Amino acid sequence: MDPFFTEKQRLFRQEVRAFAKKELTPFAEAAEETETFPMELWKILGQSGYLGIRFPEEYGGMGEGLVSYCIFIEEMNRVSAGLTAGIGLQAGMATLPVYLFGNEDQRQQWLVPAIRGEKVSAFALTEPGAGSDAANIACTAKREGDDYVINGTKLFITNGGIADFVVVAAKTDPSKGVKGITLLVVEKGTSGFAVVRKLRKMATRGSETAELSFKDCRVPGRNRLGQEGVGFVNLMKSLNEGRLSCAASALGIAHSAFNEALNYAKRRKAFGKSIGALGAIQSYLANMSMDIEAGRLLTYNGAWMADQEQEYTKEASWAKLYTSEMVQRVANKAVQVFGGYGFIRDYAVERHYREARLWEIVEGTSEIQRLIIARNLGLK
Ligand SMILES: Cc1cc2nc3c(=O)[nH]c(=O)nc-3n(C[C@H](O)[C@H](O)[C@H](O)COP(=O)(O)OP(=O)(O)OC[C@H]3O[C@@H](n4cnc5c(N)ncnc54)[C@H](O)[C@@H]3O)c2cc1C
């Protein structure tokens, strides 16, 4: 028995596993090759209901908690980390601020169609000059009458080039530092909003990542999510969820790399026996299985605590930090088990090795996770 999952969640895992295999597999390889997200997938996702796992049924969601969300992210990543990077963003970080801080009209305008897969969303905090130091963003939103006029550049924005709306963090009062940051929704086609370029990545190429620019981009005051100046504080509330989502992504990739390596070890022969009978390979696989299990326990412990409405900041950082480093160890050894074939692009472990690198960087680097954990240990 697994203490973190209810019977319903165990069944949910099976359903998502079957869904990911059936619906993501046909698109996954081409998306990685062309570095293009298949837009027809949004309709399939919208019909599945999975884009609304975290949101109440009244908005078309499933009303489930973070454990279910992490199960979804983990299972989807087992099939395609590239596609799931864009999908997870849509089902989480980009829509969560609309639900948490938006009013009823805003939820109807952006959240409901996003859950249905009819509108694609993005979330834009990072800039060329500010990533970890997010409080230092330079993008401004100046109040002019009932409108806001946005100026600035956003970098590394997942779904940025394909989004119908982007949740943008901008400074409405630069003199107030973090207390001057406000969240605004910018819709595609708004004058002054442009996609500068699609970024070419090491991996997870099935999701599209872009640089966005805002030049005298005017949005109405009704596009503001929450009050002026509370954007940063509000974002911090949703970051823990994002960290567990990263942990679940890393877990899914690690599982895939491990399964590939285990199966290969059973069938590859060297010196008259399967390499899985060799002590060196056995010890790799033994360590990989243990490492994954440790990451799994940390991830679902954090998600379970969130669902019990317990404080889980430290636990979210533990999970994110551990799994993002774990997946690199596991993917590295998976390539080793494959020998020369592991270096060739015909085999999934080559892709997993590259995919594994992302999770230590996004949603707070490992260095930042260690800072958060240290702060939660009372160290200033
Ligand atoms: C594929 C991809 C998708 C992304 N998607 C999005 C998105 O959708 N929306 C969005 O807003 N952002 C997104 N990001 C941005 C991502 O969150 C940032 O890259 C990340 O926060 C790190 O910021 P940075 O790249 O500016 O690195 P920096 O902050 O410049 O960090 C550089 C190095 O310095 C270290 N460092 C910085 N500060 C400290 C400190 N105080 N103590 C110790 N070490 C420190 C970092 O850990 C890192 O090793 C994405 C990035 C990638 C690569």
Side-chain angles (χ1 to χ4, degrees):
M1 285 295 282
D2 197 313
F4 298 120
F5 305 122
T6 61
E7 188 53 29
K8 190 177 168 199
Q9 285 162 338
R10 269 186 280 274
L11 288 172
F12 180 68
R13 183 184 286 283
Q14 286 173 18
E15 276 170 29
V16 178
R17 187 169 293 182
F19 173 85
K21 200 170 166 206
K22 177 168 178 266
E23 305 293 359
L24 293 193
T25 307
F27 297 107
E29 213 175 302
E32 286 300 306
E33 283 301 318
T34 59
E35 307 192 19
T36 305
F37 190 94
M39 295 303 278
E40 58 269 49
L41 191 51
W42 290 119
K43 192 173 171 201
I44 298 169
L45 288 159
Q47 285 166 349
S48 74
Y50 293 147
L51 295 175
I53 292 174
R54 295 287 292 117
F55 304 112
E57 288 173 17
E58 61 185 294
Y59 299 110
M62 295 173 78
E64 291 295 328
L66 210 48
V67 168
S68 297
Y69 181 73
C70 286
I71 290 172
F72 171 69
I73 294 294
E74 182 193 340
E75 291 299 330
M76 296 284 277
N77 266 282
R78 283 187 187 216
V79 176
S80 171
L83 295 173
T84 309
I87 296 164
L89 212 279
Q90 169 96 355
M93 279 304 283
T95 43
L96 204 56
V98 181
Y99 172 64
L100 289 178
F101 319 123
N103 58 35
E104 191 53 32
D105 286 348
Q106 292 169 327
R107 290 174 176 180
Q108 294 297 334
Q109 190 176 352
W110 296 304
L111 178 66
V112 170
I115 291 173
R116 288 193 193 133
E118 292 163 359
K119 279 188 181 170
V120 181
S121 58
F123 166 73
L125 173 64
T126 308
E127 299 182 359
S132 306
D133 188 9
N136 206 23
I137 56 170
C139 183
T140 55
K142 202 172 157 210
R143 184 108 211 196
E144 281 187 13
D146 286 342
D147 299 339
Y148 287 95
V149 179
I150 306 173
N151 278 288
T153 304
K154 296 287 178 184
L155 193 64
F156 306 133
I157 307 307
T158 305
N159 292 345
I162 58 171
D164 294 292
F165 69 90
V166 184
V167 175
V168 179
K171 282 194 173 156
T172 38
D173 187 346
S175 70
K176 288 192 180 157
V178 284
K179 291 190 177 147
I181 295 177
T182 301
L183 298 180
L184 295 157
V185 175
V186 179
E187 296 191 295
K188 184 175 167 179
T190 306
S191 172
F193 167 40
V195 179
V196 179
R197 63 190 169 120
K198 186 159 107 176
L199 303 168
R200 302 205 61 202
K201 293 179 294 190
M202 178 190 292
T204 66
R205 295 173 183 156
S207 67
E208 298 192 29
T209 308
E211 177 177 343
L212 308 178
S213 98
F214 303 88
K215 284 190 186 137
D216 293 329
C217 173
R218 185 177 289 271
V219 296
R222 63 175 181 277
N223 285 25
R224 191 185 70 216
L225 298 175
Q227 295 303 308
E228 258 190 29
V230 297
F232 193 77
V233 179
N234 278 347
L235 278 183
M236 292 302 115
K237 291 180 196 158
S238 51
L239 279 186
N240 283 339
E241 292 214 6
R243 285 175 186 144
L244 286 178
S245 176
C246 286
S249 301
L251 202 53
I253 297 163
H255 266 297
S256 268
F258 172 75
N259 287 337
E260 296 278 341
L262 182 64
N263 290 332
Y264 187 77
K266 287 177 184 166
R267 62 176 197 267
R268 175 72 174 173
K269 297 272 188 298
F271 299 97
K273 54 184 172 184
S274 79
I275 60 167
L278 301 170
I281 302 293
Q282 285 185 355
S283 76
Y284 289 164
L285 289 162
N287 284 346
M288 287 157 80
S289 67
M290 177 177 64
D291 223 0
I292 292 172
E293 181 63 6
R296 194 182 72 84
L297 292 171
L298 283 171
T299 303
Y300 286 101
N301 175 57
W304 182 86
M305 284 177 72
D307 287 352
Q308 307 306 307
E309 296 182 6
Q310 295 178 23
E311 164 56 35
Y312 70 107
T313 302
K314 183 179 70 203
E315 286 75 11
S317 286
W318 275 349
K320 205 272 181 181
L321 176 60
Y322 189 86
T323 53
S324 61
E325 296 185 351
M326 172 277 283
V327 67
Q328 293 179 74
R329 290 191 290 272
V330 168
N332 184 38
K333 286 300 181 210
V335 168
Q336 196 64 18
V337 169
F338 267 74
Y341 291 110
F343 206 71
I344 304 300
R345 292 188 63 184
D346 296 354
Y347 294 87
V349 287
E350 181 274 340
R351 174 168 53 82
H352 295 323
Y353 181 77
R354 289 181 287 108
E355 289 168 347
R357 194 62 190 84
L358 178 63
W359 309 99
E360 239 200 297
I361 298 168
V362 286
E363 303 250 0
T365 60
S366 283
E367 291 76 13
I368 297 299
Q369 300 311 320
R370 287 191 168 88
L371 281 181
I372 295 168
I373 295 165
R375 257 187 240 133
N376 276 273
L377 297 175
L379 302 167
K380 299 263 178 219

